[in-house]
Structures are given as C-alpha cells and as structure tokens.
C-alpha cells in the first residue's frame, strides 16, 4: 500500500512552503493592524483586508490534509476548506476592484446606482452572497458526493494506492468551476482598472496572480488525466498552494512594501 507520507522530500518542501505562507499571512495581518489608519491600508480595502487574509489562512489549512494516510476527516476537509477560503478571497478581490473602477470611471455617470450601492452596503452584500453560494456548493458536495478514503488497484497491479474520491465527483467540479468564474470576474475588474492612479493600480500584479491560478489548475487536471499514482495529491496541493500564494503575493506584498 502506498500513499503520500509526511516525511518524503516532496512533502517536506510543500509543507515548508505552506507553513511559510501561513506565517506571512499572519505577519501581514499584524502589519495591517498596526497601520490600520494609514492611506495604504485604507486604499487596500481597510478592514476588508483582514477578511481576505483570514480566508487565505483557512485555505492553507486544507493543504495539510494531503499528507499521510487518507482518512474520512482529511478527505472531507482538505478540498472544502480551500474551495471556500479561496472563493471568499476572490469575492473580496472582485468587489474591491469593481468598486475602484466604478468610483473612478462611472460614479459621475451613474450617481443613483453609486448612492444605492453605498447606502445598501453593496460590497458586503456581494461578498456574503458569493461566499454563501460556494458554501452551499461545498455542503451539497460533501452531503451528496461525500469524499471517502479509497483504494485504487487498476493502474498499478502490484500496488494499492490510497486516496480520496473527491476529484471524481460532480461536486468537486462545481466548486472548481465556481472559483474559476470568480477568478474570471476578478481578472476582468482588475484589467478594467489598469489605467487607475498608481496608488490604486494593482492590475499587473493581480492579473499575474490570477493567470498563475489558471495555469496551476489546468496543469493539475492534465496531470490527473494521465497519472493516478501516489504523487497526484502532491500535484493537487501544489496547484492549491500556487493559487493561494499567487493571490497573496499579487495583492498584499506590494501593499506591505
């Protein structure tokens, strides 16, 4: 029987990178809390930043479930934590980019919509609705297509590969597709803001991070089609880590600097 153990070199590299990302997220939260009233933090989203950092931290915890012998709790939580956490981050990124574009380009043309958006707290409402949709998708996924520990015999006659059934379910594809749609919306809003004032213009960094997200998941699904060995969870964890670290680096590191 084979599975991705904790002490293998590839596992140690991924675990070290994931732990470093978690520490950077925590350090950024502390840095932003220390400078909460500065123009840099305000332009980055103010208190919304802590919600975004919390969602990234939640997503990183899911990666620890890819190492060691698969169990029911790890199969249930590892993909769900990432999908929900990354969806919340993308929702915040989308609404933040949309607000900047609208304020600088369209608020004077559509003052009624702008006032209604502000008075009804449109940003918070969008994030709540968008995150709730992904939460419902994950709950339905876990209830109907429950990820379970599995043993794979077909591809390697002399080996039994231990894994989870999550990647073969419709619920997993729905969660990934929804995050893909959020990524496209965030990409579109960021691109529309490419000519904003310099202090508000993070289009290049955000665009690069979202492109990294797209490439990572395309590479994972390509690998999943041609390879079903014990290192497939490592490829999945790498795709998730690339998405999380790309989102964090593209949005928060320039603000920290």
């Amino acid at each position: 029987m084979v599975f991705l153990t904790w002490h293998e070199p590839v596992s140690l590299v991924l675990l070290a990178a994931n732990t470093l990302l978690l520490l950077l997220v925590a350090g950024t939260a502390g840095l932003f809390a220390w400078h909460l009233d500065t123009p840099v933090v305000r332009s980055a989203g103010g208190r919304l930043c802590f919600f975004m950092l919390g969602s990234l931290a939640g997503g990183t915890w899911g990666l620890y479930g890819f190492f060691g012998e698969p169990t029911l709790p790890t199969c249930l939580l590892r993909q769900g934590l990432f999908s929900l956490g990354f969806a919340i981050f993308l929702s915040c990124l989308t609404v933040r980019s949309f607000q900047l574009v609208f304020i600088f380009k369209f608020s004077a043309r559509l003052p009624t919509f702008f006032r209604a958006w502000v008075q009804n707290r449109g940003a918070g409402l969008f994030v709540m609705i968008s995150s709730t949709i992904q939460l419902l998708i994950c709950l339905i996924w876990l209830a109907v297509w429950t990820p379970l520990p599995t043993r794979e015999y077909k591809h390697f006659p002399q080996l039994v590969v231990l894994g989870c059934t999550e990647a073969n379910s419709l619920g997993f594809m729905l969660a990934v597709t929804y995050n893909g749609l959020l990524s496209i919306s965030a990409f579109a809003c960021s691109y529309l803001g490419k000519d904003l004032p310099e202090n508000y213009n993070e289009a290049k960094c955000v665009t690069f991070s979202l492109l990294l997200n797209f490439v990572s998941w395309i590479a994972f699904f390509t690998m999943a089609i041609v390879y079903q060995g014990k290192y497939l969870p490592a490829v999945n964890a790498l795709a998730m880590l690339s998405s999380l670290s790309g989102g964090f680096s593209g949005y928060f590191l320039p603000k920290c600097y």
Side-chain angles (χ1 to χ4, degrees), residues 116-136:
W117 176 270
V118 173
Q119 291 173 358
N120 296 309
R121 298 181 179 180
L125 189 63
F126 175 85
V127 172
M128 182 181 68
I129 293 175
S130 177
S131 303
T132 301
I133 291 174
Q134 182 66 299
L135 176 61
L136 292 175

Side-chain angles (χ1 to χ4, degrees), residues 2-22:
V2 295
F3 54 89
L4 188 64
T5 61
W6 289 86
H7 57 269
E8 294 190 42
V10 65
S11 301
L12 294 176
V13 171
L14 289 171
L15 286 168
N18 191 54
T19 303
L20 176 61
L21 176 60
L22 192 59

Side-chain angles (χ1 to χ4, degrees), residues 18 22 54 56-66 77-78 81-82 244:
N18 191 54
L22 192 59
L56 288 175
T60 60
W61 283 106
L63 272 74
Y64 292 108
F66 284 91
L77 294 177
R78 63 187 193 180
L81 281 175
F82 167 78
L244 293 169

Side-chain angles (χ1 to χ4, degrees), residues 8-236:
E8 294 190 42
V10 65
S11 301
L12 294 176
V13 171
L14 289 171
L15 286 168
N18 191 54
T19 303
L20 176 61
L21 176 60
L22 192 59
L23 293 174
L24 287 174
V25 168
T28 301
L31 182 67
F32 275 40
W34 184 263
H35 299 282
L36 184 59
D37 295 327
T38 60
V40 173
V41 177
R42 287 182 176 180
S43 69
R47 298 184 185 277
L48 182 66
C49 294
F50 299 106
F51 195 48
M52 298 171 72
L53 289 168
S55 66
L56 288 175
T60 60
W61 283 106
L63 272 74
Y64 292 108
F66 284 91
F67 307 96
E69 184 175 352
T71 62
L72 180 59
T74 57
C75 289
L76 286 173
L77 294 177
R78 63 187 193 180
Q79 290 284 4
L81 281 175
F82 167 78
S83 298
L84 181 59
F86 198 52
I88 294 173
F89 172 77
L90 290 173
S91 300
C92 295
L93 186 62
T94 300
V95 76
R96 195 265 175 185
S97 300
F98 169 77
Q99 285 191 134
L100 285 179
V101 171
F102 192 84
I103 288 172
F104 280 99
K105 293 188 175 183
F106 303 108
S107 59
R109 302 178 186 177
L110 301 170
T112 304
F113 177 82
F114 180 70
R115 285 196 300 270
W117 176 270
V118 173
Q119 291 173 358
N120 296 309
R121 298 181 179 180
L125 189 63
F126 175 85
V127 172
M128 182 181 68
I129 293 175
S130 177
S131 303
T132 301
I133 291 174
Q134 182 66 299
L135 176 61
L136 292 175
I137 290 175
C138 291
L139 291 176
I140 294 172
W141 167 23
L142 298 181
V144 179
W145 301 281
T146 306
L148 299 171
T150 184
R151 298 182 177 187
E152 204 283 327
Y153 302 91
K154 297 179 182 179
H155 293 84
F156 304 94
Q158 297 179 345
L159 299 175
V160 179
V161 181
L162 305 185
C164 298
T165 58
E166 67 221 348
N168 301 323
S169 66
L170 179 60
F172 173 74
M173 296 305 300
L174 289 175
V176 172
T177 301
Y178 186 73
N179 277 346
L181 293 175
L182 286 177
S183 299
I184 293 172
S185 64
F187 181 88
C189 291
S190 298
Y191 184 79
L192 287 174
K194 64 183 184 299
D195 55 347
L196 294 181
E198 184 177 356
N199 289 340
Y200 298 90
N201 191 347
E202 66 271 347
K204 291 182 180 179
C205 294
V206 171
T207 299
F208 176 78
S209 67
L210 293 173
L211 286 176
L212 179 62
N213 174 50
F214 295 139
V215 172
S216 299
W217 285 99
I218 291 173
F220 165 69
F221 283 113
T222 302
M223 181 64 70
I225 293 173
V226 300
Y227 175 74
Q228 294 293 329
K230 75 171 185 177
Y231 291 107
L232 186 61
V235 180
N236 195 348

